[in-house]
Amino acid sequence: MRTREIIAFFALIALILLAKYVLPHPMQFSPTLSLIIIILLSLTFIIIGVLTLQGKFVERRIVFIYVGAALTLPFFMQIELEVPISPEVQSAYDQIESLNPGSKILAAFDYDPPSAPELQPMADAFMKYCFHKGIKVIIMGLWPQGPQQAGQSVEAAFEDDPALRDKIRYGVDYVNLGFQSGNEFVILRMGESFKAMFPADIYGTPYDSIPILRNVKNYSNIDYCMNFSAGKPGTQEWVQGAVDRFGLKLSAGNTAVQAPMIYPYLQAGQLDGLMGGMAGAAEFEKLTGYKDKATTFIKSQSFAHIVVIVFIIIGNMAFLRGKTERKVK
Amino acid sequence: MSWEQTFGIWLAAAFTLGIVSFLYRDNIFYKVCEAIFVGSSAGYWFVTYFWDNLYRKFYLQAFDPVSPHIAPWVGFILGVLMLTRLFGAKIAWLSRWPLAFIIGATAGVYMMFYFVSNAMLQIGASIKPVFVGSFGDIVSNVLIAAGTFCGLVYFFFSKEHKGVFGGAARVGIWFLMVTFGASFGYTVMSRMSLMLGRLDFLFGDWLRLIS
Amino acid sequence: MKVKAFFLISAFVLSGFVSGFAQESAEPIPVENDSLTVAETPAPATDVVAKDTPNDAGGSITVTWDLSPDDTTKKIVTKYVVMRAEEGSDDFKEIGSQVAGKRSVTDNEVVDGVAYIYKVLATREILQDDAIIEVLSSPSEPVGPAKSTAQWFNMSRLNIFIGIIILCGAIIYYITAARGGKSFYIRKIAGIVEVENAVGRATEMGKAIYYVPGINDMDDVQTLASLTILGKVAEIAAQNDTRIDVPVSRSMVMVTAKEIVKESYSRAGRPEAHQDDQVRYLTDDQFGYAAAIDGLFVREKPATVFLIGAFFAESLIMAETGNSIGAIQIAGTAQPSQLPFFVAACDYTLIGEEMFAASAYLSREPKLLGSLKGQDLGKAVFLFAIVIGIILESFGIPVSNLFKVQ
Amino acid sequence: MRREIPIAITFIVGTVFIIAYFIPHYPFNQFENWFNDWFAIVAAFAIWLGALNLLKISAIKIFLKKTDQLHAALIIISFLVMIFYGFYNGFSGIMANPPYSYRDPAPGINFSWLYDYVYSSLSATMFALLAFFVASASYRAFRARNFEATLLLVAGFLVMLGRVPVGDLITQWLPRDYQLSQLANWIMNILNTAGQRAIMIGIALGLVSTSLRIILGLERAYLGGD
């Protein structure tokens, strides 16, 4: 290893120890400092642009550093990013907002940990909002890890407002039915009977002895449904299986990869609202008033996106210039 | 928090940094992480295959006390034949039988699967009235139909790309390029969120710099 | 040849009609039914029919009915309950129910060959405070007997059957024609032509070639296609006396690749140059494999990298690392979602069908080239079907159902 | 005979599986399910071959070639540790009453701990490297080199912009249906669909042709020599 690298290594160790034992927890940059950092970084872009125009393409590690910085720094920055509310998220929110306290909402968690950065913030905000508003939540999952993710959302809501721990009772205000295998067939069978698919909840309590489920036979006893989906089975199956056949009212939160495939259902009116990816999550957090991870993450994501876009522009500037020069010669 | 958890978090953080260090260049930390990753993941799948496949799909089925199944024994026999490779060249050629079986079955099953899902369904989806709806809808329908058509023309192998045919093939390439560009640009954002998950772990669970 | 193509196309289109009619001819036969209306009780469902569920493995009877006249928005009928008894018995049991507005229930709990009688109860549940306080229902006339049986041919898949027969027929026809000495023109496919140059480059530089056959196991045809290409690449490499390394992520792929590489060396006349550790297993894990491949790339610095087979998210991790060491990269996959990354990061990409054509193209065997010609005929039929289909649909003649899959 | 029998097996099995698609009658309707199970069982046997190969090559490095000894030793050790806990937890699990699975979380160091802190963190981080690679790849590949590359660039650029709030902010003056996010959706749903369809239909044709060549015994490289 070169000396420089050894120094860098020990600097990293020192930084970790500093972060772990010296720096304030949580650490935050003031808005002014944040702004200065952003301006400095933007200035370096100009330097890179000039260098590139002179024919020196930056190597990929420089791109890596910028992406890393764009992803990391916003975690600590006290800056507000204007998140415009799109109609599809607004409509998802309006639907839940219009429910009366005591309404029953079915929450289908169809994703796993790798998709959690995008979907968990939506689920957290959703859970907090429902608990505060007194809406009863029936949790289920068509993905094996879905119900665990739901458990995390419930826990997040309790941590956010410890008063909820006393107010919200399991079995009365919410229930976790767990995972059921069978994909779209579960959705279809639930149209006849929830109990047939979920004879007991996640803790093994029989369906009939759970107060919140009294008189819940099938979709007709549910006021609304919210689906968090990272693929198949997911929103598409819910629309085809429950909305089209049984008239369930549905909004969905999807990963960014999934969302465009779901848009046609939104346009056809089969879906009331749609939250797509981190942006959708940030908008939903803003609407519900429970700003949390997505509001931070969307900053990182937008910055990283801008970095990629700027690098593409820089790359093309130099390239086009090189082209015209060659033509002149 | 128990010491195992604390130790686990430090270990996970070290692995995270070790893998990320590869972005700078290959180094000893990455090499260590890579070796541990290769070894532990090979072990992980070895164990998973044993319990999920051999134990659940064979043992529990074949030795079910109520209704033992016969079908899993076929898999068992194929598997044993596979292992003949371990016992010298004299009988190793027997391992070609299960391979031939699997290759034949794969070819048969997937031939039908892809013919149905990729050909029949896609052709069925392409056959739609074009001149319906608003002007925008008509343009969209025409573009989908024309794009599919020209794209397929590009894949013709037995005809030279010349004249009108060549022109269609060229338009086909344009559509393919737009498709690639769009799917790429589309994925960039969700790839960023993967790293956010790791950063959240580093700054949240480990260093506790963010709440 | 044109006559043959026309014949095939018309057979294809016709076959669709045939299968379309085959499905329609199974219309239910109405059954006589007196409707007795009781005050407050809903009128019963009419035209109840129970018959064997078609195109299945048996053990299933489908009951259909026409809605009760009271099944309106007024919610006099809230659901339909379907009851079943064995023929000759009066012991009716509920086997399923359906919400108002629906017209069928499939009974999957029957025994083949046993005759059953069914009746449908149009039911009204009167609720008070979310609790059912009264149930009123009126039964339809019992219908039957119905028996379930298993079928030997799935008629709803007739269109697929005809489609695959046409496609396979075209391919086999041209393979046979090629055997008979006919030769076909096959155009140059850029990525495949480059395969030989890429191997040549590694020879010039005196460095190794890496061949990565994807992360799926032998139960994916992409892996099989990749391994057939490996056979040709390894042969060229052996002829050029260039080492080819094949790190794999599946044990069965390892076994197969070992056979293939060994055989390629002996076909190239250099069996002594073959080493057993050229093909080796790393790990079954997607990203563990990617991590190991990245390590190998940066340490061994191969001159040429082949990434051909089934790839998922790891595609770009490997392709970017391969690019960073300056290797010539030829990629190929039938995974549509990963093609953009290969196109962006590799020098040549075999797009979907091109990958499947590569081994035939590289072998230059007339029989295999014949199969490409047959494939093209299939493509022509499909294109023709799409164009005609769109035209017919635009004139209001529904034909897209011919391609429906059940 | 060493080649003929496997070719015959491939032909018969392949044909039967194609025919089975059209026969709903037992046992044909079960073939696909059985094959999935059989394949899983064979894979569980075959992984012994792979694991032994990994251990053998690592051991050769340590003892014979004496290169990369640390690397090879770590592979062997971490493999054995994972196996040990996998089987130890697994067998104690099926003996216990009520039985539990080898991967059930439990306090202390066990298979589930190794999964959470070792395997998952390595795997998730390797996956996350894509955030960086996707950036460097687009920096390099998205250049207007020629007309085709320009199409790639423009489509990619528009979709990318349409996916962040910034995209809609700069087109806020347009009606909702024409804003960048909707344009991006349009590109994805129309142009992308057309291209994807062509690719998918092509794949189906290529795959049918390849499968047929294999079933007919025209592609037999996988059988090796005599």
Side-chain angles (χ1 to χ4, degrees):
Chain A
M1 256 198 271
R2 284 169 282 181
T3 356
R4 258 198 309 177
E5 286 168 8
I6 295 173
I7 295 169
F9 172 70
F10 283 107
L12 182 70
I13 300 275
L15 213 62
I16 290 168
L17 294 175
L18 192 75
K20 185 84 194 162
Y21 299 107
V22 183
L23 290 177
H25 299 91
M27 180 177 74
Q28 281 195 315
F29 303 158
S30 69
T32 337
L33 182 60
S34 308
L35 206 64
I36 292 172
I37 294 175
I38 294 174
I39 292 170
L40 283 177
L41 283 175
S42 315
L43 283 177
T44 56
F45 267 133
I46 297 174
I47 300 171
I48 290 176
V50 172
L51 278 176
T52 317
L53 281 179
Q54 288 171 347
K56 288 178 206 151
F57 278 102
V58 294
E59 64 160 324
R60 52 189 224 133
R61 284 188 275 192
I62 305 285
V63 181
F64 292 161
I65 289 176
Y66 275 90
V67 172
L71 288 170
T72 311
L73 293 175
F75 274 86
F76 309 107
M77 288 182 173
Q78 280 181 313
I79 44 160
E80 287 288 319
L81 190 74
E82 183 55 37
V83 185
I85 305 290
S86 53
E88 43 285 8
V89 179
Q90 181 73 49
S91 134
Y93 171 76
D94 289 347
Q95 294 293 334
I96 304 174
E97 210 243 2
S98 68
L99 296 175
N100 297 321
S103 304
K104 285 171 189 159
I105 197 163
L106 180 71
F109 282 71
D110 305 331
Y111 63 96
D112 54 3
S115 323
E118 286 177 280
L119 295 177
Q120 200 67 34
M122 297 177 194
D124 289 358
F126 166 78
M127 209 60 89
K128 287 172 197 167
Y129 186 77
C130 288
F131 283 173
H132 279 279
K133 201 160 182 270
I135 296 170
K136 295 173 191 265
V137 186
I138 300 168
I139 296 161
M140 58 161 286
L142 298 176
W143 286 39
Q145 294 104 323
Q148 289 170 26
Q149 300 298 127
Q152 289 179 18
S153 287
V154 171
E155 204 44 45
F158 287 165
E159 267 171 32
D160 182 63
D161 182 4
L164 283 178
R165 271 187 214 279
D166 304 323
K167 202 181 125 199
I168 300 294
R169 285 156 301 159
Y170 182 82
V172 178
D173 298 298
Y174 76 101
V175 67
N176 193 340
L177 292 177
F179 159 74
Q180 180 56 264
S181 63
N183 304 342
E184 55 268 40
F185 298 105
V186 177
I187 301 175
L188 288 179
R189 291 283 305 274
M190 283 172 70
E192 278 168 43
S193 156
F194 279 21
K195 195 180 146 187
M197 285 289 94
F198 296 98
D201 75 350
I202 201 166
Y203 303 109
T205 319
Y207 190 93
D208 289 325
S209 57
I210 301 168
I212 181 178
L213 297 172
R214 247 190 72 223
N215 305 327
V216 176
K217 186 161 189 309
N218 52 36
Y219 297 129
S220 53
N221 312 106
I222 291 290
D223 296 292
Y224 205 73
C225 178
M226 180 62 95
N227 172 232
F228 301 102
S229 150
K232 201 178 146 73
T235 306
Q236 207 166 339
E237 283 70 31
W238 278 102
V239 168
Q240 288 165 358
V243 175
D244 291 356
R245 284 177 179 237
F246 301 103
L248 184 74
K249 290 171 76 187
L250 178 74
S251 278
N254 274 249
T255 54
V257 173
Q258 269 259 101
M261 268 79 90
I262 303 301
Y263 261 93
Y265 295 117
L266 192 74
Q267 276 146 11
Q270 290 152 297
L271 202 60
D272 295 325
L274 177 66
M275 302 177 265
M278 202 68 83
E283 291 170 40
F284 192 65
E285 282 190 351
K286 188 176 167 189
L287 283 171
T288 53
Y290 299 104
K291 285 196 185 175
D292 200 355
K293 281 191 175 154
T295 312
T296 314
F297 285 173
I298 190 71
K299 284 189 280 185
S300 295
Q301 231 187 23
S302 302
F303 280 179
H305 232 75
I306 291 168
V307 164
V308 174
I309 288 169
V310 168
F311 269 110
I312 292 177
I313 294 173
I314 290 178
N316 275 289
M317 267 180 358
F319 190 77
L320 291 174
R321 193 162 165 250
K323 234 182 188 173
T324 46
E325 265 175 13
R326 249 175 277 138
K327 270 184 194 157
V328 171
K329 275 175 196 169
Chain B
M1 201 183 271
S2 67
W3 74 267
E4 293 98 354
Q5 276 171 306
T6 313
F7 175 57
I9 285 176
W10 277 84
L11 201 62
F15 286 145
T16 305
L17 293 176
I19 294 280
V20 169
S21 74
F22 180 72
L23 293 172
Y24 173 65
R25 69 179 179 96
D26 185 35
N27 62 68
I28 181 74
F29 301 107
Y30 176 74
K31 223 173 154 180
V32 166
C33 289
E34 180 214 309
I36 293 174
F37 195 5
V38 170
S40 65
S41 65
Y44 171 78
W45 286 105
F46 192 93
V47 170
T48 305
Y49 275 24
F50 181 84
W51 291 114
D52 290 1
N53 296 356
L54 212 53
Y55 179 70
R56 284 180 56 186
K57 290 198 168 131
F58 171 68
Y59 180 81
L60 288 187
Q61 304 277 322
F63 295 97
D64 190 318
V66 187
S67 59
H69 296 256
I70 303 164
W73 283 102
V74 178
F76 182 82
I77 292 166
L78 293 174
V80 170
L81 286 176
M82 198 80 196
L83 288 187
T84 53
R85 294 184 68 87
L86 289 175
F87 306 107
K90 264 191 184 160
I91 53 164
W93 56 273
L94 275 172
S95 71
R96 286 178 192 170
W97 291 12
L99 274 179
F101 185 96
I102 283 165
I103 288 167
T106 302
V109 169
Y110 284 89
M111 180 166 150
M112 290 320 298
F113 179 79
Y114 273 86
F115 181 72
V116 169
S117 70
N118 274 27
M120 293 295 277
L121 280 179
Q122 293 302 321
I123 294 168
S126 311
I127 299 178
K128 265 177 147 181
V130 176
F131 301 102
V132 287
S134 66
F135 177 71
D137 291 342
I138 294 174
V139 171
S140 303
N141 292 340
V142 170
L143 278 175
I144 291 194
T148 311
F149 187 90
C150 296
L152 265 179
V153 167
Y154 166 77
F155 286 114
F156 267 87
F157 298 126
S158 60
K159 205 162 155 55
E160 213 165 343
H161 288 173
K162 267 189 190 164
V164 180
F165 191 80
R170 213 173 146 69
V171 176
I173 300 179
W174 296 346
F175 267 95
L176 293 185
M177 282 300 155
V178 170
T179 302
F180 294 148
S183 336
F184 192 114
Y186 179 68
T187 324
V188 171
M189 192 148 176
S190 46
R191 295 305 187 224
M192 295 298 167
S193 66
L194 295 169
M195 197 64 213
L196 289 174
R198 293 320 292 162
L199 290 173
D200 194 38
F201 164 76
L202 286 180
F203 296 127
D205 297 334
W206 180 43
L207 295 176
R208 304 205 164 272
L209 283 179
I210 51 173
S211 47
Chain C
M1 196 228 113
K2 285 206 171 119
V3 181
K4 196 160 277 152
F6 175 76
F7 166 74
L8 286 173
I9 292 161
S10 28
F12 193 44
V13 175
L14 270 178
S15 66
F17 281 112
V18 172
S19 69
F21 286 127
Q23 284 158 34
E24 265 170 43
S25 63
E27 273 294 296
I29 309 142
V31 170
E32 285 296 312
N33 191 334
D34 319 16
S35 58
L36 29 125
T37 320
V38 188
E40 285 191 306
T41 323
T46 56
D47 288 348
V48 180
V49 176
K51 61 181 176 57
D52 175 39
T53 310
N55 303 318
D56 71 347
S60 170
I61 290 174
T62 303
V63 183
T64 55
W65 59 88
D66 270 0
L67 298 185
S68 151
D70 288 334
D71 186 353
T72 57
T73 43
K74 285 188 220 153
K75 292 217 169 180
I76 296 176
V77 173
T78 51
K79 67 171 183 177
Y80 295 97
V81 177
V82 179
M83 315 277 284
R84 176 191 70 197
E86 281 187 29
E87 195 183 21
S89 135
D90 253 353
D91 182 20
F92 278 92
K93 288 202 175 101
E94 177 176 342
I95 52 104
S97 65
Q98 189 64 283
V99 291
K102 303 284 165 185
R103 298 156 196 267
S104 78
V105 150
T106 307
D107 179 6
N108 291 322
E109 319 259 290
V110 295
V111 179
D112 281 1
V114 178
Y116 295 98
I117 309 288
Y118 286 87
K119 60 183 178 184
V120 177
L121 273 60
T123 307
R124 176 183 192 178
E125 289 167 321
I126 299 168
L127 296 177
Q128 200 169 48
D129 297 334
D130 271 5
I132 300 162
I133 52 163
E134 202 181 345
V135 179
L136 299 167
S137 64
S138 61
S140 67
E141 280 294 303
V143 295
K147 284 182 187 174
S148 79
T149 51
Q151 279 73 42
W152 281 102
F153 187 82
N154 189 339
M155 281 309 280
S156 66
R157 287 179 175 173
L158 185 63
N159 54 349
I160 298 166
F161 183 72
I162 293 168
I164 197 88
I165 291 278
I166 291 174
L167 180 54
C168 292
I171 294 169
I172 293 173
Y173 170 79
Y174 281 104
I175 291 175
T176 332
R179 272 214 177 119
K182 227 173 157 186
S183 66
F184 304 107
Y185 167 81
I186 299 291
R187 74 171 164 90
K188 274 199 163 151
I189 303 169
I192 307 180
V193 174
E194 286 304 320
V195 168
E196 286 175 19
N197 298 342
V199 175
R201 193 182 107 108
T203 312
E204 274 166 31
M205 295 175 69
K207 285 182 178 176
I209 298 167
Y210 267 78
Y211 192 99
V212 181
I215 65 158
N216 267 4
D217 212 333
M218 296 299 285
D219 61 343
D220 188 330
V221 183
Q222 293 185 63
T223 312
L224 304 185
S226 171
L227 289 173
T228 56
I229 300 170
L230 168 65
K232 310 290 185 291
V233 174
E235 196 178 334
I236 305 170
Q239 281 161 358
N240 289 6
D241 199 16
T242 304
R243 184 181 161 97
I244 178 164
D245 273 302
V246 189
V248 302
S249 95
R250 302 285 176 167
S251 305
M252 264 183 269
V253 178
M254 176 193 81
V255 171
T256 318
K258 275 193 169 177
E259 297 271 3
I260 287 173
V261 171
K262 203 171 159 195
E263 170 69 5
S264 297
Y265 271 78
S266 51
R267 250 186 297 138
R270 306 184 44 88
E272 76 290 346
H274 172 257
Q275 285 169 323
D276 194 48
D277 65 348
Q278 280 178 282
V279 179
R280 59 181 162 138
Y281 169 84
L282 293 168
T283 164
D284 267 58
D285 188 69
Q286 181 185 12
F287 292 109
Y289 182 60
I293 294 279
D294 274 8
L296 286 171
F297 280 2
V298 292
R299 278 162 227 148
E300 313 286 326
K301 298 214 167 36
T304 303
V305 168
F306 290 94
L307 300 164
I308 297 179
F311 290 87
F312 297 87
E314 74 289 347
S315 64
L316 190 64
I317 300 179
M318 295 180 188
E320 268 296 289
T321 310
N323 185 289
S324 76
I325 56 162
I328 283 266
Q329 297 196 97
I330 296 183
T333 186
Q335 220 62 47
S337 55
Q338 300 309 321
L339 280 168
F341 303 114
F342 280 151
V343 169
C346 297
D347 300 276
Y348 297 94
T349 307
L350 303 173
I351 302 166
E353 193 177 0
E354 293 178 340
M355 177 185 75
F356 291 112
S359 78
Y361 190 93
L362 284 170
S363 74
R364 300 209 169 81
E365 269 184 62
K367 299 180 285 195
L368 300 185
L369 293 179
S371 73
L372 297 187
K373 178 85 186 165
Q375 228 166 296
D376 272 2
L377 180 61
K379 215 171 297 162
V381 175
F382 286 163
L383 277 180
F384 188 78
I386 291 178
V387 173
I388 296 291
I390 290 178
I391 293 172
L392 288 177
E393 284 267 346
S394 297
F395 282 106
I397 306 165
V399 285
S400 67
N401 274 353
L402 303 185
F403 294 90
K404 217 164 136 184
V405 175
Q406 273 155 354
Chain D
M1 280 310 272
R2 288 186 181 186
R3 280 176 78 98
E4 281 73 17
I5 292 177
I7 289 175
I9 293 176
T10 307
F11 177 75
I12 295 167
V13 174
T15 317
V16 167
F17 272 86
I18 293 172
I19 296 171
Y21 181 81
F22 299 100
I23 307 179
H25 205 288
Y26 184 89
F28 293 91
N29 62 339
Q30 291 302 321
F31 276 177
E32 219 182 304
N33 294 336
W34 285 342
F35 175 60
N36 284 333
D37 283 358
W38 294 340
F39 187 82
I41 295 168
V42 178
F45 276 100
I47 201 168
W48 282 85
L49 299 169
L52 289 174
N53 180 270
L54 180 70
L55 293 180
K56 187 176 114 191
I57 287 186
S58 303
I60 287 174
K61 270 190 187 163
I62 298 175
F63 299 110
L64 296 179
K65 291 192 184 166
K66 300 203 189 294
T67 53
D68 274 340
Q69 281 167 316
L70 171 72
H71 189 256
L74 277 172
I75 290 180
I76 295 180
I77 293 167
S78 48
F79 178 79
L80 293 178
V81 168
M82 209 73 179
I83 298 261
F84 170 77
Y85 279 107
F87 285 112
Y88 176 71
N89 294 149
F91 280 110
S92 17
I94 53 172
M95 303 292 191
N97 190 22
Y100 57 88
S101 157
Y102 65 100
R103 51 165 88 225
D104 281 349
I109 289 185
N110 48 37
F111 191 76
S112 141
W113 185 91
L114 286 170
Y115 176 81
D116 284 347
Y117 294 109
V118 179
Y119 174 81
S120 288
S121 65
L122 285 164
S123 179
T125 313
M126 201 65 210
F127 195 8
L129 288 190
L130 272 178
F132 298 93
F133 287 142
V134 89
S136 65
S138 41
Y139 170 58
R140 212 183 45 249
F142 282 17
R143 286 193 191 143
R145 264 176 250 123
N146 49 39
F147 184 67
E148 277 88 20
T150 312
L151 283 175
L152 187 91
L153 163 72
V154 172
F157 201 73
L158 287 177
V159 172
M160 228 186 260
L161 263 182
R163 311 258 295 143
V164 269
V166 181
D168 276 352
L169 280 179
I170 52 178
T171 50
Q172 221 165 23
W173 48 280
L174 285 166
R176 175 75 190 148
D177 284 352
Y178 296 91
Q179 287 179 7
L180 256 177
S181 63
Q182 298 305 308
L183 180 66
N185 279 339
W186 184 81
I187 294 177
M188 286 305 289
N189 283 329
I190 306 299
L191 302 182
N192 178 53
T193 302
Q196 296 281 9
R197 258 187 206 155
I199 294 173
M200 284 169 77
I201 297 174
I203 287 170
L205 288 161
L207 201 139
V208 168
S209 173
T210 303
S211 303
L212 203 59
R213 292 199 297 259
I214 290 170
I215 292 172
L216 295 177
L218 298 176
E219 300 264 24
R220 50 174 86 165
Y222 61 89
L223 290 176
D226 289 306

